[in-house]
Amino acid sequence: MSLLAPGGLPAGLDTPALVVDEARLEANLARTADTMRRAGVALRPHAKTHKSVEVARRQRAHGAAGLTVATLGEADVFADAGVDDLFVAYPLYASAAKAPRLRALAERVALRVGVDSAGGAAALGDACPGLAVCVEVDSGHHRTGVAPADVVGVADAARRAGLRVAGVFTFGGHGYAPDMPPGAGADERDALAGAAAHLTEAGYDLAVVSAGSTPTATYSARPPVTEERPGIYPFYDAQQLALGSCTVDDVALVVAATVVSVGADGRRVLDAGSKVLGADRPAWVRGHGLLPAYPDVTPAWLGEHHGVVDVPDGAVAPALGEVVALVPNHVCQVVNLADEYTVVRDGGHVGTWPVDARARNR
Amino acid sequence: MSLLAPGGLPAGLDTPALVVDEARLEANLARTADTMRRAGVALRPHAKTHKSVEVARRQRAHGAAGLTVATLGEADVFADAGVDDLFVAYPLYASAAKAPRLRALAERVALRVGVDSAGGAAALGDACPGLAVCVEVDSGHHRTGVAPADVVGVADAARRAGLRVAGVFTFGGHGYAPDMPPGAGADERDALAGAAAHLTEAGYDLAVVSAGSTPTATYSARPPVTEERPGIYPFYDAQQLALGSCTVDDVALVVAATVVSVGADGRRVLDAGSKVLGADRPAWVRGHGLLPAYPDVTPAWLGEHHGVVDVPDGAVAPALGEVVALVPNHVCQVVNLADEYTVVRDGGHVGTWPVDARARNR
């Protein structure tokens, strides 16, 4: 029985709740690990999605080389749990508050950190001499990172600051739109290849050429890329369905919600609003998530505690009091809003896992 | 020194952080309490905004009649802290999982709960005989609640289910747009007056006629309204500024964020993204929050850990590594994403308060 079918959730669940199908999770972990193994590329999953020590343990069991995190706070949680190889894929600014935390982390795990400016490199070097860094390359997302032609300047500043330049990384976030993942994956590979060539020419010996996101990972996983950092693949979500990263049978996490109100126009209101689902809704998804058991209805707008579902005339819709399974748009946000996962196997509740690194944003 | 001025934040803050100006908070609590007192209307602040036992204590000290909450989980937190009068202003569906929790709560505090359907009333009555309920009225937001003409049907169902009908309530959420609060406040009052008249005619004796939100509270606070439920007024935010609920000098909470990257086009990237700021951005605000010290720049888009600030040619913008104060769009979301408040007085750090009811969404 699928989580996504009517009646597929365990009976008696209190809602709203995040429900994980353990068998699907395992299948997703195995499939991506296998894809990367066959591509000859290391898998370093981004733990900002799951924030879970238990999911991280399973990723390592499937051969992950280490973890990617976004913040020192996330790194601390996974280091405490015994993960000994971490990449903070973020241009961390080593302020007076962060410097001692960074030094303490570097003393206990194999660590690398992102950098995208001479000023950032200087602060990192002051904070943590000898730290390994990867220079961030902008492959088209235009968020952080420098153009491939500018990586040598940042690397030289890092070397002058006493840092060790281990490699380059990018995030092809412009792949988050329909039909864009193949091109964005190619952009990642091209930008990294260009950056790596500049650095090699300048005498740097690069161990790490790191790309990736769940939609682009299969497209950029070839030389000179040495590792991929997808985050969402353990669970998938409605955005990944729209991007073609997975099928609906791969979705391993749903939000269980109860219909608390039925409007005069037939609308259903769920007890999961933006404080549970997040508010991410790009123009290329239909609504605020999907209700696979009720394909003709649309979660149209959210209050903080209200998910308002439009029901067209004649559409089959859930009844007052019914518990439904909703596939959220962006699972990273959803997990960060929750304290725990409810884990099920074969339709039965088998336990809860804490969201260990929830809200570790600094 | 204001939190919002350059250099107004305490030195050495780790970021991102939620920073509360205690003096402004106190002024906001006093002003709204005074406004409601002069209007002859009880103030029952919505605690879903602050989720803080300490802020609730201060609201009670300023004369609040009790608290409003959105969920049983929030109610449990405040009941544990000694708040003995709670209104769950939500059409709670008393499932098998929620029924024992509801009964336990009703035994230890003065409690009322929202209801907007005969089915919801039946479930509440089975769960908790004798419970006080308020019928939710739709005053124009079209989320939950019934039309004024339909309240008697819900009230009769509640009475048949063994519940006590204490009154009516509404939320004029359609007031969340420029120039709309006065009209939405009038709509709240009109809808409640109509609903109350129908119920009085049907023989109900109503103790509670409850309205409110921060933008509409001053407009609906007159007879027959007996209480107002604003939530955001302790802190305010960029949405409330755009709605005219406050001035920039009233804003009592900011997100402290560090500039971690400066792009080739001058953009600044802050270490506060959607996992700190939330993603709420109605069309009628300029960006994802405001940087009052840098009025010409715009937080234009968010990654999970990146706040990307557009900097027009020639605009003054913060430097790499600088800590800035950002007024977020919707403070309810921001607080729910954090574990604690950093509290300052006269520019100095005086303590931290936990976000006690964070993520208590069920």
Side-chain angles (χ1 to χ4, degrees):
Chain A
M1 170 69 79
S2 159
L3 279 182
L4 306 178
L9 293 166
L13 264 185
D14 201 358
T15 64
L18 265 55
V19 183
V20 170
D21 183 313
E22 191 193 23
R24 286 186 176 193
L25 167 66
E26 274 295 318
N28 293 342
L29 297 181
R31 187 183 331 105
T32 292
D34 187 55
T35 301
M36 293 301 143
R37 196 176 295 116
R38 282 186 288 112
V41 167
L43 175 60
R44 183 179 289 273
H46 209 312
K48 75 178 169 65
T49 300
H50 59 69
K51 296 173 176 285
S52 158
V53 167
E54 174 61 23
V55 177
R57 186 188 67 72
R58 290 167 184 244
Q59 288 174 322
R60 293 304 289 270
H62 283 281
L67 290 184
T68 306
V69 296
T71 67
L72 280 184
E74 289 180 352
D76 286 339
V77 168
F78 291 103
D80 288 347
V83 179
D84 58 2
D85 190 336
L86 293 166
F87 177 22
V88 184
Y90 191 85
L92 199 68
Y93 190 84
S95 63
K98 287 206 163 47
R101 299 178 55 206
L102 178 62
R103 274 195 300 276
L105 182 67
E107 280 167 17
R108 62 180 183 145
V109 301
L111 180 67
R112 40 175 149 105
V113 170
V115 65
D116 79 347
S117 66
L124 286 172
D126 284 348
C128 196
L131 180 69
V133 294
C134 285
V135 180
E136 185 169 2
V137 181
D138 181 359
S139 54
H141 190 39
H142 307 322
R143 189 172 70 178
T144 45
V146 297
D150 296 330
V151 291
V152 173
V154 177
D156 287 351
R159 195 165 50 183
R160 283 194 305 274
L163 300 167
R164 184 166 65 79
V165 178
V168 288
F169 77 108
T170 196
F171 168 64
H174 57 304
Y176 270 78
D179 304 322
M180 291 293 284
D187 290 344
E188 289 186 318
R189 214 170 60 238
D190 290 347
L192 290 171
H198 286 295
L199 286 169
T200 303
E201 193 176 320
Y204 289 91
D205 184 20
L206 302 185
V208 179
V209 179
S210 176
S213 66
T214 293
T216 60
T218 52
Y219 302 106
S220 54
R222 62 200 68 164
V225 170
T226 65
E227 75 175 17
E228 291 281 348
R229 310 185 314 277
I232 295 176
Y233 76 95
F235 300 134
Y236 298 112
D237 56 25
Q239 287 188 169
Q240 298 300 325
L241 277 167
L243 294 171
S245 306
C246 63
T247 72
V248 73
D249 293 329
D250 301 322
V251 174
L253 181 149
V254 298
V255 173
T258 299
V259 179
V260 298
S261 179
V262 176
D265 59 0
R267 72 180 175 271
R268 268 56 173 172
V269 181
L270 305 178
D271 62 357
S274 55
K275 281 182 174 170
V276 171
L277 301 176
D280 287 12
R281 189 199 162 173
W284 41 269
V285 298
R286 195 174 81 176
H288 284 280
L290 303 170
L291 295 170
Y294 298 99
D296 298 330
V297 307
T298 305
W301 60 281
L302 303 179
E304 290 166 51
H305 297 276
H306 300 75
V308 181
V309 179
D310 280 350
V311 178
D313 283 349
V316 179
L320 182 72
E322 184 170 332
V323 177
V324 296
L326 184 147
V327 180
N329 278 349
H330 188 182
V331 72
C332 303
Q333 303 287 2
V334 173
V335 169
N336 186 51
L337 288 161
D339 285 331
E340 65 183 25
Y341 299 97
T342 297
V343 184
V344 301
R345 188 190 301 140
D346 301 331
H349 180 190
V350 295
T352 59
W353 297 341
V355 182
D356 304 278
R358 184 199 51 72
R360 297 295 181 110
N361 292 310
R362 61 180 176 230
Chain B
M1 171 69 79
S2 159
L3 279 181
L4 306 178
L9 293 166
L13 264 184
D14 200 357
T15 64
L18 264 54
V19 184
V20 170
D21 184 313
E22 192 193 22
R24 286 186 175 193
L25 168 64
E26 275 294 318
N28 293 342
L29 297 181
R31 188 185 330 102
T32 292
D34 187 55
T35 300
M36 293 302 143
R37 197 176 294 116
R38 283 187 286 109
V41 166
L43 175 61
R44 183 180 288 273
H46 209 313
K48 75 178 170 61
T49 300
H50 58 69
K51 298 173 176 285
S52 157
V53 167
E54 175 60 24
V55 177
R57 187 189 66 71
R58 290 167 184 243
Q59 289 175 319
R60 294 304 291 270
H62 283 282
L67 291 185
T68 305
V69 295
T71 67
L72 280 183
E74 290 180 351
D76 285 340
V77 168
F78 291 103
D80 288 347
V83 179
D84 58 3
D85 190 336
L86 292 166
F87 177 22
V88 184
Y90 191 86
L92 198 69
Y93 190 84
S95 64
K98 286 205 165 46
R101 299 178 56 206
L102 179 62
R103 275 196 299 276
L105 182 66
E107 279 168 16
R108 63 184 183 141
V109 300
L111 180 68
R112 39 176 150 103
V113 171
V115 64
D116 80 346
S117 66
L124 286 172
D126 284 347
C128 196
L131 180 69
V133 294
C134 285
V135 180
E136 184 169 4
V137 181
D138 180 358
S139 54
H141 191 38
H142 306 324
R143 189 172 70 179
T144 45
V146 297
D150 295 329
V151 290
V152 173
V154 177
D156 287 351
R159 194 164 52 181
R160 282 194 305 273
L163 301 166
R164 185 165 65 78
V165 178
V168 288
F169 78 108
T170 196
F171 168 64
H174 58 304
Y176 270 78
D179 304 322
M180 290 294 283
D187 290 345
E188 289 186 318
R189 215 170 60 238
D190 291 348
L192 290 171
H198 285 296
L199 286 169
T200 303
E201 194 176 318
Y204 289 90
D205 184 19
L206 302 185
V208 179
V209 179
S210 176
S213 68
T214 293
T216 59
T218 53
Y219 302 106
S220 55
R222 59 200 68 165
V225 170
T226 65
E227 77 175 16
E228 290 282 347
R229 308 186 314 276
I232 295 175
Y233 76 96
F235 300 133
Y236 297 113
D237 56 26
Q239 288 189 166
Q240 299 300 324
L241 277 167
L243 294 172
S245 305
C246 62
T247 72
V248 74
D249 293 328
D250 301 323
V251 174
L253 181 149
V254 298
V255 173
T258 299
V259 179
V260 297
S261 179
V262 176
D265 59 0
R267 70 179 177 272
R268 269 58 174 170
V269 181
L270 306 178
D271 62 358
S274 56
K275 281 182 174 169
V276 171
L277 301 176
D280 288 13
R281 188 197 163 177
W284 41 270
V285 297
R286 196 174 79 177
H288 284 280
L290 302 170
L291 295 170
Y294 299 99
D296 298 329
V297 308
T298 304
W301 60 282
L302 303 179
E304 289 166 51
H305 297 275
H306 300 74
V308 181
V309 179
D310 280 351
V311 177
D313 282 349
V316 179
L320 183 71
E322 184 172 331
V323 177
V324 296
L326 183 148
V327 179
N329 278 350
H330 189 183
V331 72
C332 304
Q333 303 286 2
V334 173
V335 169
N336 187 52
L337 288 160
D339 284 332
E340 65 184 23
Y341 298 97
T342 297
V343 184
V344 302
R345 188 191 299 141
D346 301 331
H349 179 189
V350 295
T352 57
W353 298 340
V355 182
D356 304 278
R358 184 199 51 72
R360 297 297 181 110
N361 291 311
R362 63 181 175 230

